[in-house]
Every structure is written in C-alpha cells, then in structure tokens.
Amino acid sequence: LKLDNHMRCILISDSEADKSAASLDVKVGCSLDPKPLYGTAHFLEHMLFMGTAKYPSENEYSQFMQNNGGMNNAYTSLTNTNYHFDCSNPAFEEGLDRFAQFFIGPSFSESGAEREVKAVDSEFNQSLQHDGWHFFNLLQRLSAQDSLLNRFNCGNMKSLSQPGIRESLLDFHKRWYSSNIMTLAISGRHEIEQMEEWVT
C-alpha cells in the first residue's frame, strides 16, 4: 500500500511466523555526504538510535527488542540506509511504534553524539581488517575525482570531529529523510488489516 505521505509499504501476514519483523529503507546514502564531512549519513544512522521525543532514553529501543526476544540493526550504503528489527509477535505493535519514532521525532541529543562518533570510528577501525573494504576503497580512489563514488564512506573520528558536523547532521536529516523515498516492509503472525492499521 501507499500511505498519504507517499511511503510505500509491503505487509506480509504469515500465520506460522515465530517472530514479527520490520525493515525501513531510505533511498539515500553516503554518496550524498557533504564534503569534507564524510560519514555524515552513517553518523545519522547511529544517532537515530539515541532516543526520541516519545521514548527519550538512549538505550530504551535496543533494550525493548532484547527483552522481547528480538534484535535490531542498521546499515548505510552508497545509495541506501536501512533500519530493521525483529521481536516476538505479541510485542510487535509496541516495537513498531518505537521504531517509527526514529523517523517522526528523533532527539539528536548532543550527549549521545560524542559516543556515536566513537562507535562509527570503531566500525572504521574494524573494517581495516577486511580485504573487501580495501578493494572497494581502491575502486573509490580510482574513480573520477568529482564523482559521487570518490569519497570516504564510513566516517571516523577525524572526519566527524570537524566544526559544523552537528549542523551537517541536522541538515542532512532535514533535506533527505523524506517519507516519499522510504519503503517499509513488515511481516508477522497478524492479520493484514491489523498491520495496515498499525502502519497507517
């Protein structure tokens, strides 16, 4: 279905599902990071987990998923940012509401920003051990200088500790996080009509 805000949704009712799950994809990624603040899109992905207006506690979302037999994660690619979770069927309605708040009222707390810069930096340092990352980095370095491919995707302490990074983060969110370029998929042991009501 397509919501009034133009978000596209796929609803899957499976009477034998052990768990319910949701995945929301935003058709924007690190290829649109403003130079030289590389890693802005990835940093934004991390910051959406750091509390919302409705659920202000920074660890509340992840804790809720763990307490209800689930998991949650996200990733940022060149062209997409994807957020996803699964949890027990009975907890899905509340889990979906908590998830939706990422896109309705994120808090972008300054207190969480420093920790998340460190988390992004940690991911960058882990990537240095993987040949696939080195190959892709070489491909990017060899691409045309002014292309959207020629950039540093992940971000690290150096690229994200520059003046203006908070403004860059807020501007990136305001400019690109629009429902008309989002697609949501959910599945669970619930009736389609009930899922449609929750999604709407």
Side-chain angles (χ1 to χ4, degrees):
L1 62 113
K2 194 173 188 179
L3 303 182
D4 289 344
N5 64 5
H6 302 288
M7 182 187 291
R8 293 174 300 156
C9 305
I10 299 169
L11 315 179
I12 303 163
S13 178
D14 178 359
S15 60
E16 298 181 8
D18 293 332
K19 288 184 176 181
S20 294
S23 175
L24 187 141
D25 194 84
V26 188
K27 197 165 180 58
V28 63
C30 54
S31 63
L32 295 171
D33 283 346
K35 295 181 180 182
L37 302 174
Y38 295 119
T40 297
H42 187 201
F43 181 38
L44 173 57
E45 171 218 304
H46 276 249
M47 286 300 293
L48 290 189
F49 285 83
M50 295 288 100
T52 63
K54 188 172 181 179
Y55 301 102
S57 173
E58 289 182 0
N59 297 316
E60 196 166 350
Y61 172 75
S62 295
Q63 196 63 55
F64 176 86
M65 296 304 167
Q66 286 177 16
N67 291 344
N68 288 281
M71 57 74 66
N72 63 92
N73 211 335
Y75 66 84
T76 303
S77 72
L78 272 172
T79 57
N80 296 72
T81 308
N82 185 278
Y83 302 84
H84 47 274
F85 78 89
D86 65 43
C87 67
S88 68
N89 287 305
F92 187 57
E93 180 182 6
E94 187 176 348
L96 195 59
D97 183 57
R98 290 170 182 270
F99 184 63
Q101 299 307 312
F102 283 16
F103 312 99
I104 295 169
S107 61
F108 295 125
S109 68
E110 292 191 48
S111 60
E114 188 175 335
R115 285 193 303 280
E116 290 313 301
V117 166
K118 289 178 182 174
V120 169
D121 189 64
S122 176
E123 280 188 45
F124 164 70
N125 287 316
Q126 288 175 19
S127 74
L128 298 177
Q129 311 305 316
H130 299 284
D131 289 343
W133 283 78
H134 289 292
F135 176 79
F136 188 64
N137 184 250
L138 177 62
L139 181 69
Q140 289 178 291
R141 294 292 178 188
L142 294 173
S143 65
Q145 197 76 25
D146 58 349
S147 74
L148 293 178
L149 183 60
N150 190 299
R151 58 194 51 243
F152 171 40
N153 292 359
C154 184
N156 61 11
M157 193 70 76
K158 184 178 178 183
S159 71
L160 295 173
S161 295
Q162 299 185 60
I165 188 61
R166 180 169 176 76
E167 293 74 17
S168 174
L169 174 81
L170 296 175
D171 180 65
F172 192 95
H173 178 263
K174 184 176 180 180
R175 179 178 298 192
W176 294 113
Y177 269 56
S178 179
S179 55
N180 64 306
I181 58 168
M182 294 179 179
T183 303
L184 173 70
I186 67 170
S187 67
R189 196 187 288 178
H190 318 282
E191 297 295 329
I192 285 287
E193 294 76 16
Q194 181 67 82
M195 296 170 112
E196 184 172 348
E197 186 181 316
W198 292 341
V199 164
T200 303

